[in-house]
Amino acid sequence: MQEIPYDEQGDVADYISSHLESAGGSRSVLMEDGTWKAFSSYGDLGTAANYARTSDGYLRIKEVTLQPSIGGQYYNRFVRYRLYDFPPQKPEASMNGYSPSPMLANASRRPNTIAIPTAEDVFVDVEIGFKNTEGCKDILVEQTDADYPVPYTYFVDPNDGSFIAFMNKRYPSTFRLT
């Protein structure tokens, strides 16, 4: 059996203590890595930290109070959990990849537009991924192509985490997710 040096034992004890349900100060917030981070007031919670959130965007708060027993020989520990409404995370979106589209430009993807494809036109299906959209029921996508100034709008399901955009390689497109 290998003996663990004392300083490494302290690191292990700190690690275990930070993951225990009853560990931490009187108020703690759950982090993404599963640790509880103690804080003294709600104003101390910065928006840039990696807090674990519920599916609808709330922070998980734990309040631990100690109450002495009769005679003061031991303490009872009471743990209460709360959800705290907090500013939402900033959503992020990026292009995941693309592939040649099997559809023609005048196909049913855009029923209100009539495009006449030329020999130079190459159409692609672009996968655009997004994250940090807790609490959203729908996402409205506005796709504006460089060859036509009026945006094409459609709804996507935020639970999917991505959507497929139909584009012409000759003309860049910009997207706005709302």
Side-chain angles (χ1 to χ4, degrees):
M1 182 171 174
Q2 182 181 7
E3 188 173 320
I4 300 174
Y6 179 73
D7 59 338
E8 290 181 24
Q9 286 179 358
D11 293 340
V12 171
D14 291 341
Y15 175 81
I16 292 172
S17 174
S18 70
H19 284 74
L20 289 175
E21 288 291 314
S22 61
S26 61
R27 279 193 210 156
S28 302
V29 61
L30 185 63
M31 305 299 287
E32 283 182 348
D33 63 356
T35 61
W36 291 95
K37 179 182 174 189
F39 66 94
S40 58
S41 73
Y42 288 105
D44 295 341
L45 299 175
T47 56
N50 295 326
Y51 300 123
R53 294 174 181 258
T54 62
S55 61
D56 51 357
Y58 290 92
L59 297 184
R60 293 178 172 102
I61 304 294
K62 174 182 65 172
E63 296 176 354
V64 179
T65 56
L66 297 175
Q67 189 175 47
S69 66
I70 298 173
Q73 296 180 355
Y74 59 90
Y75 286 90
N76 294 315
R77 188 178 306 234
F78 295 96
V79 181
R80 184 168 68 177
Y81 297 94
R82 294 179 170 212
L83 297 178
Y84 181 63
D85 193 10
F86 199 67
Q89 298 179 28
K90 183 178 179 181
E92 297 177 29
S94 65
M95 183 180 83
N96 294 344
Y98 66 93
S99 62
S101 179
M103 300 187 71
L104 296 174
N106 56 357
S108 64
R109 290 254 182 115
R110 295 188 180 183
N112 298 331
T113 62
I114 299 173
I116 301 171
T118 64
E120 297 91 31
D121 288 330
V122 176
F123 296 95
V124 292
D125 288 332
V126 179
E127 181 182 2
I128 298 177
F130 53 87
K131 62 182 181 177
N132 298 337
T133 58
E134 293 93 355
C136 289
K137 305 274 189 257
D138 288 311
I139 295 177
L140 174 68
V141 177
E142 293 180 8
Q143 178 178 346
T144 306
D145 299 329
D147 63 331
Y148 192 68
V150 178
Y152 174 68
T153 60
Y154 49 97
F155 286 96
V156 297
D157 185 5
N159 297 325
D160 294 341
S162 67
F163 63 95
I164 303 295
F166 181 65
M167 295 174 56
N168 187 334
K169 276 184 99 172
R170 288 179 46 198
Y171 303 106
S173 296
T174 57
F175 296 89
R176 173 189 281 175
L177 278 63
T178 306

